[in-house]
Amino acid sequence: MMNVLIIGSGGREHALAWKVAQSSRLTKLYTAPGNPGTSLCGENVLLDVSNHDDVVRFCKEKQIDLVIIGPEIPLADGLTDSLSTNSIRCFGPSQAAAQIEASKVFSKNFMARHHIPTARYATFTRLDEALSYLDHVDYPIVIKASGLAAGKGVILPDTLEESEATLKSILIEKTFGDAGEEVVIEERLSGQEVSLMVFTDGKSIAPMIPAQDHKRLLDGDRGPNTGGMGAYAPAPIFTKDLLNEALDSVLKPAIDGLRSEGTLFVGVLYAGLILTENGISVLEFNARFGDPETQVVLPLLETDLLDIADACVDGNLKDINILWKNDAAVCLVLASKGYPEKVEIDKPVVFGELPENVICFHAGTKMENEKVFTSGGRVFGLTAWANDIESAIDDVYSNVKNVSFDGMQYRKDIAYRALEGSK
Ligand code: AMP
Ligand code: GLY
């Protein structure tokens, strides 16, 4: 039996808490800081997760057997290392291993060292060198701040002027602060994107169901990029052959490569893949569960998540058999008016009754006087799972009426690509 602490406060953490709460091995679940959704699955605790001593003290006091870290910042900050030093078991990579996400320069150089397919690139700290490089490339480019920038550090410029202005703003004006001390300039690729996450103990890997998310604000993949307006799994475009190819050419070499460099990666490794005319290429690695992908992947997981996390931390992943439902899941993000620019918050939320195969994961909400109010841009991930993707889409959209707040906006075409793929 286990006491578990989940770190984080978004839709991903509500999905994690919801899944962990179903475990027959759970004694008590805490989420720090959590949200009104996680408070339905366990107890929320107000901990400053950047204060590692406080987290360690809490874990000792409450006899926490396992910590699960959701977001990238505590990982990049070395929370896993602080917990491990104090003999507290943690599902999530060390600071050194989390560099695969926290530093795009590290990540690109690592991929080059281990022959993992990725776009051609160069890295710069000096503006003059970056600008003169632009004169030498004869293909469209993407500019990325190397450090963590909450998903905003990737710019796809359309003209030379835009590229120059972007480089100046990152390297000189420091738009992304320290995250922009170094930049990656890489070739712009085209194709469909797939999110493939694997559980790993640092030696073996176990893939989750591949997912696709919808990053643009508006229907038909138009409008500005967002943190994600919805997701679905499985992704029919990602065939069994492509999955095996990705495991052999990307995920296994990444885990083996890190280990060969003296860094064991324990937790979830997420590969953001693009399916180009010339094959699979890696856009990014994340050192954690994806959001919103986790909201569609965990409802499809049959096996107890605590059994998997435990096996990863103990280095026994190969001994467990992970089972998945033969279903499909769809997550529709319900966002505030004005998202992703200037959002309107503090709106009261009214809930109706949801069927058993639909859950409303909280992301940007808060509780005041026992009532739920909106507190962020992406407020909920309304998620349904069913025998097939068509039914899951129907179940999500027919239940939108059961969650309402002033100014609510959402896309009307989440998972439409999967339908096209299955026809
Ligand atoms: P990243 O955080 O590196 O995954 O980038 C965020 C998003 O920017 C990706 O999901 C892609 O949609 C886009 N992107 C990143 N790198 C490239 C690339 N080399 N070519 C085309 N699009 C890219
Ligand atoms: N859905 C993309 C991410 O979690 O970074």
Side-chain angles (χ1 to χ4, degrees), residues 213 270 284 286 288 290-293:
D213 72 356
Y270 166 130
E284 65 167 342
N286 290 325
R288 51 168 174 85
D291 200 2
E293 289 90 337

Coordinates of all heavy atoms in Angstrom, one line a residue, residues 213 270 284 286 288 290-293, ligand 2:
D213 N -2.3 16.0 -30.9 CA -3.0 17.1 -30.3 C -3.2 18.2 -31.3 O -2.7 18.1 -32.4 CB -2.3 17.7 -29.0 CG -1.0 18.4 -29.3 OD1 -0.6 18.4 -30.4 OD2 -0.4 18.9 -28.3
Y270 N 8.8 11.7 -23.7 CA 7.8 12.1 -24.7 C 8.6 12.5 -25.9 O 9.4 13.4 -25.8 CB 7.0 13.2 -24.1 CG 6.1 14.0 -25.0 CD1 4.8 14.3 -24.6 CD2 6.6 14.7 -26.2 CE1 4.0 15.1 -25.4 CE2 5.8 15.4 -26.9 CZ 4.5 15.7 -26.6 OH 3.7 16.4 -27.4
E284 N 10.9 17.5 -30.8 CA 11.4 17.8 -29.5 C 11.2 16.5 -28.6 O 10.4 15.6 -28.9 CB 10.5 18.9 -28.8 CG 9.0 18.4 -28.7 CD 8.2 19.4 -27.8 OE1 8.8 20.2 -27.0 OE2 7.0 19.3 -27.9
N286 N 10.3 15.7 -24.5 CA 9.8 16.2 -23.2 C 10.2 15.1 -22.2 O 10.1 13.9 -22.5 CB 8.4 16.5 -23.2 CG 8.0 17.7 -24.1 OD1 8.8 18.7 -24.2 ND2 6.9 17.7 -24.7
R288 N 8.6 14.2 -19.5 CA 7.4 14.1 -18.7 C 6.2 13.8 -19.5 O 6.3 13.7 -20.7 CB 7.1 15.5 -18.1 CG 7.1 16.6 -19.2 CD 6.6 17.9 -18.9 NE 6.8 18.8 -20.0 CZ 6.0 18.9 -21.0 NH1 4.9 18.2 -21.1 NH2 6.3 19.7 -22.0
G290 N 2.9 14.4 -21.5 CA 2.4 15.6 -22.2 C 1.0 16.1 -21.8 O 0.3 15.3 -21.2
D291 N 0.7 17.3 -22.0 CA -0.6 17.9 -21.7 C -1.1 18.6 -22.9 O -0.4 19.5 -23.4 CB -0.5 18.8 -20.5 CG -1.8 19.0 -19.8 OD1 -2.8 18.4 -20.2 OD2 -1.8 19.8 -18.8
P292 N -2.2 18.3 -23.5 CA -3.3 17.4 -23.0 C -3.2 15.9 -23.3 O -4.1 15.2 -23.0 CB -4.5 18.0 -23.7 CG -4.0 18.5 -25.0 CD -2.6 19.0 -24.8
E293 N -2.1 15.4 -23.9 CA -2.1 14.0 -24.4 C -2.4 13.1 -23.2 O -3.1 12.1 -23.4 CB -0.7 13.7 -24.9 CG -0.4 14.3 -26.3 CD 0.3 15.6 -26.2 OE1 0.1 16.3 -25.1 OE2 1.0 16.0 -27.1
Ligands
GLY2 N1 1.3 18.7 -25.6 C1 2.7 19.2 -25.7 C2 3.4 19.2 -24.4 O1 2.9 18.6 -23.4 O2 4.5 19.7 -24.3

